[in-house]
Amino acid sequence: MSSLSSLAPKGALTLRGRLVQWVGNPFQDGPESLLHHQDGLLHAVDGKIVHAGDAQRILAEHPELEPEPVHGILAPGFIDAHLHLPQMRILGAHGEQLLDWLERYTFPAERSFEDPQVCADSARLFVDACLQRGVTTAAAFCTVHAGSVDALFEAASARNMRMIAGKVLMDRNAPEFLRDSAQSGFDDSAALMDRWHGVGRNAYAVTPRFAPTSTPEQLEASGALFQRKPGVYLQSHVAENQAECAWVKELFPDSESYLEVYERFGLLGRRALYGHGIYLQDRDLQRLSESGAAIVHCPSSNLFLGSGLLNVERLVGHGHLALGSDIGAGTHLSPMTTLSDAYKVSSMAGAPLDAFKLWWLATAGGAEALELAGVVGNLVPGADADIVLLDGEISELHAHRLHHARSLEEELFFLAACGEADMVARTWVAGQEV
């Protein structure tokens, strides 16, 4: 813990190339929400952006700057708002829908995190894999083991990555070797919160896995934890699978909807992140609007498990929206692939998303969902210098296609629809290239 002070970013970063900035919300403002500087400049000092915009204007005012020229598009680092640390080892596990998939693959994989070395090795791999793919902010589920949370925060701190994470809470309907109790889950979570929340770029997330694996007593304790410190997050799952929704109705017959279960225990509000939301009822949309909670769309996972198709447009204006890989039901950690799947799901759901809406969900929209607007998700003065350089010309074929793009929108849509991890050429975290 004492070594974290040495991780404070130092020095300056100055880059010159094409640059994009959000100046609005594309779901409300359309294409005008994204400002494109054909000749842009970004200057950061000690991890914060000081200047970002037109290069000629900034250099006229600050001729002392000596920018490094870059090829590609300078864009905000990606935000992955829903993923699972222990599930890297079950990527592509075949042949089950959600509830069977948990029993057959997920729970056995999570048992291995009893071993501190497994925690440390997995956390290092997880953080490095995120950064290599341009993910500079993540909200991650650990396991029921407190050591998994310590390991992930330690690995993220060593690389100065912004990490939101927490210990999974499960005191029923899970294997005995993964269960805690309402009291032990509270005590462990409180201790982890005290140890990590607000330290460096870390934030704690109270993490009941989903309503069926927590008793009412544990959900009540989760509500108390959610209110325990300012800025704490809450993350869970909601309305992902039809069989899951039916199970919740059996377990909580007095609640009129799945989301209302969480509301009853004080688990809705700003900084509450709920993965999936495919089968939310109409009355739940008002609950989202009033509470400011977020739905994290996980299209790759939904396709892989056959869970269903989320119509993102149905949720617009009701709470916040973000994008998540949901690794390992999601089959790729790359946001480029998640963007591609998000478009395909939206098209199949009858409400296709355009390029600007897709990129918003993975950057500034995710930042809004995390209550971090102006801090991450955009390249504007005062924000953290979390940056990716996008270069779609990774092959002769890709370069040929981009040469024929007729607009920025067409170029960005190609990057999203045909996205590959290699299109993230470079990544900077708080001004330091990683």
Side-chain angles (χ1 to χ4, degrees):
M1 293 285 293
S2 61
S3 65
L4 293 182
S5 60
S6 65
L7 299 173
K10 300 184 186 303
L13 171 72
T14 309
L15 304 170
R16 184 173 185 174
R18 298 173 64 196
L19 185 145
V20 291
Q21 296 172 304
W22 293 107
V23 293
N25 180 336
F27 287 96
Q28 302 166 356
D29 308 317
E32 300 302 315
S33 58
L34 190 66
L35 183 62
H36 175 219
H37 301 279
Q38 186 66 38
D39 181 17
L41 186 143
L42 184 146
H43 177 63
V45 177
D46 294 343
K48 296 287 185 181
I49 297 173
V50 179
H51 305 293
D54 179 72
Q56 296 289 342
R57 175 186 62 79
I58 295 172
L59 289 172
E61 297 172 359
H62 302 278
E64 73 281 2
L65 297 179
E66 297 180 359
E68 174 193 349
V70 294
H71 175 76
I73 299 176
L74 292 167
F78 291 111
I79 297 169
D80 191 331
H82 185 100
L83 67 171
H84 296 261
L85 165 66
Q87 292 183 16
M88 293 182 297
R89 60 180 54 200
I90 55 171
L91 275 173
H94 171 262
E96 304 289 349
Q97 290 201 342
L98 174 64
L99 300 180
D100 291 332
W101 190 81
L102 288 171
E103 291 287 347
R104 183 173 179 182
Y105 299 114
T106 304
F107 293 152
E110 293 187 3
R111 185 176 194 174
S112 66
F113 282 73
E114 297 170 350
D115 184 345
Q117 193 61 52
V118 169
C119 294
D121 292 344
S122 299
R124 176 198 54 76
L125 174 61
F126 182 83
V127 169
D128 288 348
C130 284
L131 294 173
Q132 287 165 5
R133 291 157 178 80
V135 176
T136 55
T137 295
F141 289 60
C142 297
T143 69
V144 297
H145 312 99
S148 68
V149 184
D150 286 326
L152 183 54
F153 279 134
E154 286 167 1
S157 297
R159 294 149 184 81
N160 212 14
M161 178 183 179
R162 185 175 291 276
M163 183 62 66
I164 299 163
K167 166 194 144 54
V168 164
L169 299 168
M170 293 194 295
D171 67 344
R172 68 167 173 175
N173 293 325
E176 187 174 351
F177 57 76
L178 288 179
R179 286 186 215 160
D180 52 15
S181 68
Q183 187 63 55
S184 70
F186 181 94
D187 293 343
D188 288 346
S189 298
L192 289 162
M193 189 186 299
D194 290 343
R195 190 150 63 243
W196 290 108
H197 184 64
V199 175
R201 303 183 82 202
N202 301 312
Y204 196 79
V206 181
T207 309
R209 181 178 224 111
F210 65 154
T213 49
S214 287
T215 60
E217 292 75 18
Q218 185 164 75
L219 292 175
E220 184 177 4
S222 298
L225 285 165
F226 188 29
Q227 300 300 321
R228 188 170 175 269
K229 283 193 174 187
V232 165
Y233 290 82
L234 184 287
Q235 59 182 355
S236 192
H237 301 78
V238 70
E240 176 180 359
N241 171 285
Q242 289 179 314
E244 168 209 15
C245 292
W247 191 21
V248 170
K249 185 60 180 175
E250 292 177 6
L251 293 170
F252 299 92
D254 295 335
S255 294
E256 63 180 15
S257 75
Y258 194 161
L259 193 67
E260 191 197 75
V261 173
Y262 295 120
E263 182 183 44
R264 285 174 52 200
F265 293 101
L267 300 177
L268 293 187
R270 301 170 80 87
R271 296 181 306 282
L273 312 172
Y274 282 94
H276 307 292
I278 301 172
Y279 300 103
L280 289 173
Q281 299 180 26
D282 289 342
R283 70 193 81 175
D284 292 328
L285 303 185
Q286 185 64 30
R287 290 188 173 95
L288 290 173
S289 297
E290 293 172 352
S291 67
I295 294 297
V296 185
H297 179 30
C298 303
S300 303
S301 167
N302 298 156
L303 289 169
F304 183 73
L305 294 180
S307 298
L309 306 173
L310 176 67
N311 183 341
V312 169
E313 295 283 2
R314 176 176 175 251
L315 301 183
V316 172
H318 302 287
H320 296 295
L321 287 165
L323 204 61
S325 65
D326 195 21
I327 184 176
T331 51
H332 298 271
L333 195 53
S334 170
M336 307 300 293
T337 304
T338 305
L339 287 170
S340 178
D341 286 343
Y343 171 72
K344 295 166 188 171
V345 165
S346 72
S347 184
M348 294 174 70
L353 297 169
D354 64 30
F356 302 110
K357 292 175 181 177
L358 289 166
W359 286 92
W360 165 265
L361 289 173
T363 56
E368 285 194 356
L370 300 178
E371 295 285 307
L372 292 172
V375 179
V376 295
N378 203 358
L379 302 183
V380 293
D384 292 351
D386 290 355
I387 311 158
V388 293
L389 179 66
L390 302 171
D391 185 358
E393 298 181 9
I394 58 175
S395 72
E396 185 177 3
L397 173 62
H398 289 81
H400 174 77
R401 173 62 185 92
L402 282 173
H403 179 73
H404 290 87
R406 296 165 294 181
S407 65
L408 174 68
E409 181 174 7
E410 189 171 319
E411 182 177 359
L412 290 176
F413 187 79
F414 165 74
L415 291 174
C418 301
E420 297 184 23
D422 289 350
M423 291 178 178
V424 178
R426 299 168 70 181
T427 304
W428 292 264
V429 171
Q432 299 295 315
E433 186 167 6
V434 294

